[in-house]
Amino acid sequence: DAKTTQPPSMDCAEGRAANLPCNHSTISGNEYVYWYRQIHSQGPQYIIHGLKNNETNEMASLIITEDRKSSTLILPHATLRDTAVYYCIVRPLNDYKLSFGAGTTVTVRA
Amino acid sequence: DTAVSQTPKYLVTQMGNDKSIKCEQNLGHDTMYWYKQDSKKFLKIMFSYNNKELIINETVPNRFSPKSPDKAHLNLHINSLELGDSAVYFCASSQVRDRVAHIQYFGAGTRLSVL
């Protein structure tokens, strides 16, 4: 059972920032927010995770609202290779499995 | 070097046959997983092994039997294959001792087609 809600699809222009929203209104205090993506015909790929602070790495930034009920994944300069299904997942630290929902299909257009 | 490798990449077989999918990881991780992605593209956990011990066994028919000969390998054996077993199967691994997060690394997948 996915604990997150994401828009089914979104388009963005190459070179622009892509902002992917995720609602997780029932998140618990010990649950992290993870983002993975799956490029066509490949396995899922880890992007970033966070608990309550904003996080940034070489791939993306994660903005988590103060009440932790929603978050936004930001791809700062989308490229055609970022076209993929993006999954927002909430999970307690001691839970080994990832529960994937339907995700957001992101299409980056030239 | 591929971190998580699965073989074969494609597997086409007849109903009723028995087949195996192999997975190896060279990341030194202590936990491995099998996920199934069906035709509707939903990814679901099937099994997980930590240090060769089964720790997750979701509602999967007992025709599916995972085997972990060592921490670097987790194979999936499927008996009496059925049409509904057609899917893409992904292996993954992670380091449970990472206190910050359990980042899972996935293989490229094995596309199983049962005819």
Side-chain angles (χ1 to χ4, degrees), chain A residues 32 34 36 38 40-46 49 87 91-102, chain B residues 9 31 33 35 37 41-43 45 48 50 55-56 58 90 96 99-104 106-108:
Chain A
Y32 280 69
Y34 294 79
Y36 280 74
Q38 186 175 21
H40 182 63
S41 296
Q42 297 184 21
Q45 177 190 23
Y46 166 82
H49 74 277
Y87 298 98
R91 186 184 72 167
L93 187 62
N94 60 358
D95 187 354
Y96 293 178
K97 68 183 179 186
L98 290 169
S99 297
F100 290 86
Chain B
K9 188 170 177 62
T31 304
Y33 312 78
Y35 287 82
Q37 187 167 40
K41 304 296 185 184
F42 285 105
L43 266 160
I45 184 78
S48 178
N50 173 256
I55 56 172
I56 295 176
E58 293 292 294
F90 289 98
V96 170
R99 299 289 296 177
V100 176
H102 298 157
I103 300 171
Q104 293 185 18
F106 285 78

Side-chain angles (χ1 to χ4, degrees), chain B residues 70-87:
Chain B
D70 54 58
K71 289 198 305 183
H73 297 84
L74 180 61
N75 304 322
L76 184 64
H77 188 76
I78 315 171
N79 289 329
S80 303
L81 278 156
E82 300 178 357
L83 294 176
D85 298 331
S86 296

Side-chain angles (χ1 to χ4, degrees), chain A residues 11-31:
Chain A
D11 286 359
C12 64
E14 187 179 23
R16 304 294 293 269
N19 297 314
L20 283 62
C22 179
N23 285 324
H24 31 80
S25 57
T26 61
I27 193 169
S28 301
N30 68 340
E31 289 182 317

Side-chain angles (χ1 to χ4, degrees), chain A residues 41-109:
Chain A
S41 296
Q42 297 184 21
Q45 177 190 23
Y46 166 82
I47 301 173
I48 199 167
H49 74 277
L51 183 62
K52 54 183 179 181
N53 297 322
N54 298 338
E55 303 287 345
T56 295
N57 63 19
E58 64 279 3
M59 289 183 70
S61 295
L62 174 60
I63 309 297
I64 302 175
T65 58
E66 192 169 343
D67 64 7
R68 303 209 322 124
K69 293 182 184 296
S70 65
S71 60
T72 300
L73 179 74
I74 301 172
L75 307 177
H77 304 287
T79 71
L80 298 179
R81 288 174 293 182
D82 291 322
T83 292
V85 179
Y86 287 75
Y87 298 98
C88 172
I89 300 166
V90 296
R91 186 184 72 167
L93 187 62
N94 60 358
D95 187 354
Y96 293 178
K97 68 183 179 186
L98 290 169
S99 297
F100 290 86
T104 296
T105 299
V106 173
T107 303
V108 180
R109 302 191 185 279

Side-chain angles (χ1 to χ4, degrees), chain B residues 85-102:
Chain B
D85 298 331
S86 296
V88 182
Y89 293 85
F90 289 98
C91 177
S93 74
S94 71
Q95 178 56 263
V96 170
R97 285 191 291 276
D98 183 350
R99 299 289 296 177
V100 176
H102 298 157

